[in-house]
Amino acid sequence: MKNTVCELSDIRENDLSDIVAGGTIGKEIIFLPEVDSTNIYASKLARDGMPEGVVVIADCQKRGKGRLNRVWQSPPGKNLYTSIILRPSIPSHLAPQLTLTAGVAVAELLSQYCPGTVMLKWPNDVQINMRKICGILTEMRIKRGKIDFVIVGMGININMKKEEFQEEFRESSTSLNQETGNRISRTDIANKLYRTFEKWYEIYLDKGFRPIREAWLGYSGILNKNIAVHYKKDVYKGRVIGIDEYGALLLFDEKNETKRILAGDVSLIGEQ
Ligand code: BTN
C-alpha cells in the first residue's frame, strides 16, 4: 500500500489528505492539486502500465471532461474529481456496463446522505430531486481487440453553492451541500466511494451484469416513463422498458417496436 502525495499543503487545506489507500480500488492513490483532467492523467498512467485499482484524485481540473465533449465544471476546494483504472477481462462491447455499475455505487453512496431522493438517469447521470449531482465518464483503450484498460471518471458535486454553478447548469445541477444544508467532507465521500465501487465491481465480476441491472433499475427514475432521447440530430421517443445486458436503453415506441438506444440525452415528455 502506497500513497503518492504531490503538493501536500494544497491538498491538506482542502481536506483531501485523509483518504485511505487500501482494498483493491484505491490501493494506490495519486493526489493532484491541479490537473487538466483526472481521466486524461489516469489514461496516461494506465498506458504506462499502472495496475487495476489505482485511482487519481484532483482538487481541481482545468479541462474536466464531460460526456459528448462537454466541459465538467471543476473548481478547487469544492467537489470530488476522481478516476479509477480498471483492467477487466470482459469483451469491449460490454464496457458500458461499467458506467452503470459506477452509477449504482454512487447512488448507493449518496443515498446515505439523502435517503430516498437519489435517482439514476441513463446512461451516466446521478440526480437528487431531479437535479444532476454526479456525472460519470467511462473511457477505454483497446489493444489487439481486447480491453487494455478502462478509466471510470466520476465528478460528484459536494460543497458547490448554487451561485457557483455556471448559469446554464444552475437550475439543472445540485450538490450535497445544497441538498442537506451541511458542509460535507470530501474525504469521507472519497473513502466511501472507493469502498462502494469496489463492492459493486466485485459483484459485477463475480455474478455478471444481472444484479447491477436490477440495482440500476431500482434507482432509475425513468422506468415505464415516456421519454425523448436526443442524439446529435436524431430524436427517439418511447416508453422505457428497461436496459439490456449491454447497458443499452430499451424503448417501446409508438410503432409498438422495441428500440435499443446506445447514446444520447434523456428527457421526460408529457405529464407522467
Ligand atoms: C458527464 O456527465 O458529462 C460526465 C462528467 C464526468 C466528470 C468527471 S470529473 C472526474 C473525471 N475527469 C474528467 O475529466 N471527467 C470525469
Side-chain angles (χ1 to χ4, degrees):
M1 273 191 260
K2 191 176 124 222
N3 266 359
T4 308
V5 181
C6 313
E7 304 282 341
L8 201 60
S9 55
D10 265 20
I11 299 288
R12 280 247 159 85
E13 273 169 28
N14 291 303
D15 91 342
L16 282 175
S17 60
D18 297 329
I19 297 169
V20 183
T24 49
I25 301 298
K27 62 180 159 207
E28 186 169 342
I29 300 177
I30 317 286
F31 296 102
L32 302 166
E34 185 181 300
V35 70
D36 47 0
S37 148
T38 56
N39 266 30
I40 294 176
Y41 198 92
S43 293
K44 283 184 196 144
L45 292 177
R47 274 174 191 268
D48 290 346
M50 274 288 192
E52 169 158 291
V54 171
V55 307
V56 177
I57 181 164
D59 184 44
C60 86
Q61 299 186 114
K62 290 292 167 200
R63 212 152 50 86
K65 291 202 291 177
R67 216 162 46 95
L68 307 175
N69 284 329
R70 292 175 188 144
V71 173
W72 186 257
Q73 218 187 321
S74 310
K78 302 275 168 196
N79 304 318
L80 189 67
Y81 320 111
T82 189
S83 300
I84 303 175
I85 298 175
L86 300 177
R87 296 187 185 272
S89 300
I90 57 169
S92 55
H93 66 274
L94 296 183
Q97 296 178 342
L98 294 167
T99 308
L100 301 176
T101 305
V104 168
V106 174
E108 183 173 286
L109 161 64
L110 297 183
S111 295
Q112 292 175 28
Y113 295 81
C114 300
T117 59
V118 180
M119 267 173 32
L120 286 168
K121 185 177 158 195
W122 186 89
N124 69 341
D125 287 0
V126 187
Q127 297 183 323
I128 294 188
N129 291 324
M130 309 299 276
R131 294 196 159 100
K132 181 161 172 171
I133 192 158
C134 168
I136 300 164
L137 182 66
T138 305
E139 299 179 289
M140 73 175 156
R141 182 182 187 221
I142 297 176
K143 207 166 145 187
R144 287 182 222 105
K146 291 195 168 144
I147 289 182
D148 181 17
F149 60 81
V150 174
I151 305 297
V152 177
M154 289 169 276
I156 304 181
N157 298 328
I158 300 181
N159 290 311
M160 192 100 147
K161 302 271 181 219
K162 192 175 174 92
E163 62 275 15
E164 291 168 328
F165 282 102
Q166 282 161 14
E167 210 173 334
E168 54 182 311
F169 303 120
R170 206 164 283 159
E171 290 311 319
S172 58
S173 303
T174 192
S175 69
L176 271 182
N177 176 265
Q178 279 180 58
E179 296 301 323
T180 63
N182 300 322
R183 189 171 170 83
I184 308 281
S185 153
R186 293 188 295 167
T187 305
D188 283 354
I189 298 287
N191 282 328
K192 287 177 184 161
L193 176 65
Y194 301 139
R195 297 290 65 79
T196 313
F197 181 84
E198 181 171 308
K199 178 184 112 180
W200 282 103
Y201 185 53
E202 278 171 7
I203 291 173
Y204 173 70
L205 294 180
D206 287 354
K207 304 204 165 91
F209 185 53
R210 188 181 290 249
I212 308 298
R213 178 165 51 184
E214 275 166 23
W216 193 93
L217 288 171
Y219 282 111
S220 161
I222 55 173
L223 192 60
N224 290 322
K225 299 256 166 89
N226 289 318
I227 64 158
V229 185
H230 292 257
Y231 183 65
K232 296 185 176 167
K233 287 184 182 144
D234 296 321
V235 184
Y236 307 96
K237 290 184 180 167
R239 182 167 56 83
V240 178
I241 55 172
I243 44 176
D244 71 9
E245 65 271 35
Y246 302 110
L249 187 66
L250 300 176
L251 284 190
F252 193 65
D253 69 13
E254 56 215 356
K255 293 185 199 142
N256 291 346
E257 285 168 6
T258 299
K259 270 217 158 62
R260 291 182 72 237
I261 309 290
L262 294 165
D265 280 323
V266 170
S267 54
L268 294 174
I269 46 178
E271 284 193 23
Q272 306 277 337

